[in-house]
Amino acid sequence: MLTARAGRLPAALLALALLAVAGSAAAGCVRRSDEDPGPVPDVPGGTFTVALTEPDHLTPGRTTSSYSLQVLEGLFDTPLALDPADGHAVPLAAESISTDDQRVWTLHFRPGARFHNGEPVTAASYADAWNAAAYGPNGWEANGYFSQIDGYAALNPADGAKPPTDRLSGLEVVDDSTLKVTLGAPFSQFPMLLAFPAFAPLPKAAFADPAGYDLHPVGNGPFAMDGDWRHQQRIDLRRAGGYTGPRPATADGVHFRIFTSKDTAFTELRAGHVDFMASVPPSRAYEAKRTFGKRYSVRPSGTMDYLGLPLWDTRYAKPELRQAISMAIDRRGITRAIFNEVFAPADSLVAGMIPGHRAGACGETCEYRPERAKELFDRAGGFTGTLELYFANSDPTYEQWMTAVANELKQNLGIRAIAFRKMSGADLGPILNGHKATGPYRQNWVVDYPSVQNYLAGLLGPNNRSGWSDPAFDRALALGNAAPTAAESEEHYHEAESIALRALPLIPLWNWQDQTAWSSRIGNVLVDPYVAGLHLEKVTVRH
């Protein structure tokens, strides 16, 4: 079943009961460190250290990077959150959310909330933040997340002209604690969307000095910045004084140490210089299990690695060429050799842990069929020039599997000239967003909420990185969004996925299993599929 329950939603319904995910989808995915021998006292105080890769931004709305989201999880309270046990939407900064028709939604926010600088958090704080992210000329990374709200098209003209307005017509600030949101069409998944960090509020300082704010974001969450972001070095948080929300911090502070190599970060974790690592390199899986025992967690993940394709480059215009590249890649061989079989070959655009996933939806296109790949490659007219592969330098496995892919494309398709474009993730993002890449690029999709719709809309919705669009896909996605029951939504989402897999604007590769490890200094470690990293506010520190 999909995440929406059957039937129309009654008015004044708390988000707690809005959208329940089938419990089997995530059951058993949550691991706590209370399994570890030698309990950590549940007393306030102390600080702990988290390994991190350099974020691109720290302003909600300007980033969708999982590295950024680990920090933002502590700095901001979003309107709703996803329950770690099964992913259903629950109130966080909002007290309630209601709708009569799944198109017009009313949010009531908790009274008395303040930003870390003392400024009141009001309904306008949310509206201003969402308008800034949705306004096309700002170029914020999470722009597409606001496409459901009425007036989005006016802020993002198709011809690139200056928008006639900088405000979403679908946002109405009723009073300081009430925000009415009108969507362009009914959208049953909207409450879960409101748990994504891009929907956090912003204070006035975010607009007065955007660059300065990005270095020292002022949020409304359980932790506040302790000094400025020191690029490529560290980000420090302290427990926020005056926080009145539902998740007060237990520890005094969090230190994020920034590493360019995950192998180096793991070595520091082993040495006791880091307390938590959200993504242990697959090559260190056996070592991590031996070293950390019950403080090592492996769980199904909603993250999918994929090879994006620059469809604005005419060399990639033919579906046969894209299918040939996909079928020339030995996914199972790569996951065995590089990822110790911790990762699983993708057979769909959607991770297997997501309700509504269809096993084998990709068909032979995602299977290793080198002879068929060469046949399609020749039919498409081959490839001219140098094929450039783009990837970030933040994990050594990226270059390892890109090297394997390059060798397979040379061997199976006869492409002779292949070059690597390796750079920092912060540099790669603008190239992809600006459609400046001249070849396939390594990316992953980290699920925002447990729905097929999240993958389809996030990867291939408006302003997607591949530059692909298809009216039939858009129509099927819209019908799924508006369907009154989960079964009907699922039927339309599956149709949209099938359209995308036939066109193949991006190539699914493999699905992650998240491997996390932590030191004996910390306890109450809660990791779940719906939060990047961990719940910072819950962590206890052994004194």
Side-chain angles (χ1 to χ4, degrees):
M1 296 292 287
L2 274 181
T3 50
R5 288 179 175 171
R8 295 279 180 182
L9 297 174
L13 186 64
L14 280 178
L16 180 62
L18 272 170
L19 296 170
V21 177
S24 60
C29 296
V30 177
R31 293 285 299 273
R32 289 184 182 271
S33 64
D34 53 15
E35 300 171 351
D36 184 49
V40 177
D42 245 347
V43 296
T47 63
F48 62 99
T49 301
V50 175
L52 186 70
T53 299
E54 174 79 352
D56 55 357
H57 292 286
L58 290 182
T59 303
R62 293 187 68 179
T63 182
T64 59
S65 164
S66 59
Y67 310 132
S68 303
L69 302 187
Q70 287 186 56
V71 182
L72 298 183
E73 194 277 335
L75 290 174
F76 290 89
D77 280 355
T78 47
L80 303 178
L82 299 179
D83 186 283
D86 60 14
H88 72 274
V90 297
L92 185 55
E95 283 187 322
S96 67
I97 181 172
S98 61
T99 185
D100 288 323
D101 57 5
Q102 297 191 95
R103 185 182 177 212
V104 179
W105 300 81
T106 301
L107 285 155
H108 292 285
F109 295 100
R110 298 179 187 274
R114 292 185 176 272
F115 289 105
H116 301 146
N117 62 3
E119 178 185 327
V121 180
T122 67
S125 307
Y126 291 89
D128 290 344
W130 302 3
N131 282 323
Y135 186 63
N138 284 342
W140 286 18
E141 177 74 12
N143 172 279
Y145 285 75
F146 298 86
S147 61
Q148 301 289 343
I149 300 176
D150 215 12
Y152 175 84
L155 271 63
N156 298 270
D159 59 3
K162 183 178 179 180
T165 178
D166 60 358
R167 300 281 169 176
L168 289 162
S169 60
L171 297 183
E172 179 188 348
V173 177
V174 178
D175 55 42
D176 281 352
S177 62
T178 308
L179 180 65
K180 188 161 97 172
V181 185
T182 301
L183 307 181
F187 181 40
S188 61
Q189 318 290 291
F190 186 61
M192 286 195 292
L193 188 62
L194 293 177
F196 190 68
F199 289 86
L202 291 177
K204 294 179 175 60
F207 311 106
D209 179 14
Y213 183 84
D214 206 43
L215 288 175
H216 194 115
V218 175
N220 65 325
F223 288 98
M225 291 290 290
D226 189 8
D228 288 350
W229 170 13
R230 295 162 61 185
H231 283 293
Q232 302 294 346
Q233 296 181 53
R234 62 188 302 134
I235 298 168
D236 295 322
L237 309 185
R238 56 175 172 78
R239 185 193 293 136
Y243 174 75
T244 60
R247 53 184 195 117
T250 302
D252 289 331
V254 186
H255 307 298
F256 289 96
R257 282 187 59 191
I258 297 173
F259 296 90
T260 56
S261 164
K262 290 183 179 178
D263 276 317
T264 302
F266 181 75
T267 299
E268 289 291 275
L269 177 68
R270 283 204 59 177
H273 302 149
V274 167
D275 293 309
F276 180 84
M277 186 172 185
S279 184
V280 173
S283 60
R284 311 293 287 270
Y286 301 135
E287 183 182 356
K289 185 175 182 179
R290 289 195 308 269
T291 303
F292 295 97
K294 291 184 178 180
R295 288 180 282 107
Y296 168 65
S297 168
V298 180
R299 58 186 171 81
S301 170
T303 300
M304 175 187 71
D305 274 1
Y306 66 90
L307 201 63
L309 298 167
L311 301 193
W312 52 88
D313 186 325
T314 56
R315 295 178 298 174
Y316 300 92
K318 294 183 178 180
E320 292 87 354
L321 185 280
R322 306 195 290 266
Q323 293 161 5
I325 292 174
S326 179
M327 297 169 75
I329 298 173
D330 184 1
R331 293 164 176 78
R332 190 162 299 281
I334 291 175
T335 56
R336 182 182 300 117
I338 296 175
F339 298 117
N340 288 322
E341 296 185 290
V342 173
F343 291 5
D347 61 356
S348 163
L349 287 173
V350 180
M353 60 167 287
I354 302 298
H357 165 264
R358 293 181 297 160
C362 195
E364 71 168 11
T365 304
C366 289
E367 297 174 1
Y368 182 49
R369 296 178 176 265
E371 293 181 0
R372 174 64 171 157
K374 186 62 166 65
E375 177 185 324
L376 290 169
F377 182 76
D378 292 339
R379 185 189 303 172
F383 188 86
T384 59
T386 299
L387 189 148
E388 294 185 298
L389 295 172
Y390 289 72
F391 57 94
N393 60 8
S394 53
D395 190 309
T397 62
Y398 298 168
E399 185 164 5
Q400 291 169 18
W401 72 253
M402 273 294 195
T403 300
V405 166
N407 291 337
E408 289 169 349
L409 296 182
K410 289 177 181 178
Q411 175 181 329
N412 297 326
L413 301 182
I415 300 175
R416 296 183 178 180
I418 298 180
F420 287 166
R421 296 290 304 276
K422 181 172 71 170
M423 64 196 73
S424 71
D427 290 332
L428 180 59
I431 290 174
L432 301 184
N433 293 338
H435 287 181
K436 296 178 182 177
T438 55
Y441 49 88
R442 178 266 166 200
Q443 285 286 276
N444 62 21
W445 180 256
V446 182
V447 64
D448 303 316
Y449 48 90
S451 168
V452 173
Q453 189 274 346
N454 181 234
Y455 289 82
L456 300 180
L459 289 167
L460 297 170
N463 303 318
N464 65 77
R465 282 179 164 173
S466 292
W468 179 77
S469 65
D470 185 295
F473 171 87
D474 294 339
R475 185 164 51 252
L477 189 61
L479 288 172
N481 292 344
T485 70
E488 290 175 84
S489 290
E490 188 173 284
E491 180 182 345
H492 294 301
Y493 290 149
H494 286 166
E495 180 185 354
E497 183 189 18
S498 295
I499 292 168
L501 287 171
R502 286 194 294 271
L504 210 67
L506 58 87
I507 297 173
L509 294 174
W510 36 77
N511 297 118
W512 291 27
Q513 287 199 98
D514 286 341
Q515 302 179 88
T516 56
W518 55 91
S519 77
S520 58
R521 289 187 65 250
I522 61 173
N524 205 33
V525 174
L526 173 62
V527 290
D528 70 62
Y530 317 118
V531 168
L534 78 163
H535 292 259
L536 299 172
E537 78 283 356
K538 294 183 179 294
V539 175
T540 55
V541 181
R542 174 176 279 124
H543 298 302

